[in-house]
Amino acid sequence: MKGHIFILLEEFVSEVAGEALLYDALEACSFDTSTGFVRTENYPDEQLIELVDTVIKKAGISLEQAHFDFGKWLYPRLSGLLPKQFTDYAHPAYVLKQLDDLHHVELKKLYPDAQPPKFQYCALSPIEANLIYTSPRRMFDLVEGVLAGMAQFYGVPLHVTKQTGWQDNQNCAKYTIVYAKEVAI
């Protein structure tokens, strides 16, 4: 996992739960956290999992809630880092339609060794779509949180139904999205 995610996680925990909880969690980790994370460096996924597990135990929340809340918090921050052709729209559907290209083209430009998830977007009607997420990291609740963050960012309410283990693939989830506002894609 890229250090950028660790840095964003630290910002999130500090903002939402306070710096004291963040520092306690960092000190409790079995890996060295004394030098800080470097945005472009790779860190084992296990370190992120350990840090998140430590934070949720100290905060007294579930893993699912932590992932969802982080995803919701994350989207507005990530959108500021993206090229305008990916975010300069009035509806989240435009961004979701380009999500796989964003991850596999733009992200790879910045981080050639990144291992991003795969996304497939399929519009079903002017107000409904399916988003298929595939990743061995299985961050299903984080993706759902990002969708909630996008809805808030774009001011387009949406309802999401999540189906994990989609098509018997434990690394895959299908999100059926119903927008409160039509989109013409």
Side-chain angles (χ1 to χ4, degrees), residues 4-23:
H4 187 81
I5 295 298
F6 283 84
I7 292 167
L8 288 166
L9 179 63
E10 286 179 324
E11 289 174 20
F12 170 70
V13 172
S14 181
E15 183 179 311
V16 172
E19 286 186 6
L21 188 138
L22 172 64
Y23 294 136

Side-chain angles (χ1 to χ4, degrees), residues 3 6-7 10 26 31-39 41 43:
F6 283 84
I7 292 167
E10 286 179 324
L26 289 168
F31 59 94
D32 181 18
T33 60
S34 63
T35 59
F37 299 103
V38 178
R39 191 173 305 279
E41 291 295 316
Y43 298 91

Side-chain angles (χ1 to χ4, degrees), residues 117-119 131-135 138-140 143 171-173 175:
K118 293 185 185 324
F119 291 96
L131 178 69
I132 310 301
Y133 159 86
T134 307
S135 172
R138 300 181 205 166
M139 294 189 173
F140 307 129
V143 172
N171 295 331
C172 190
Y175 303 86

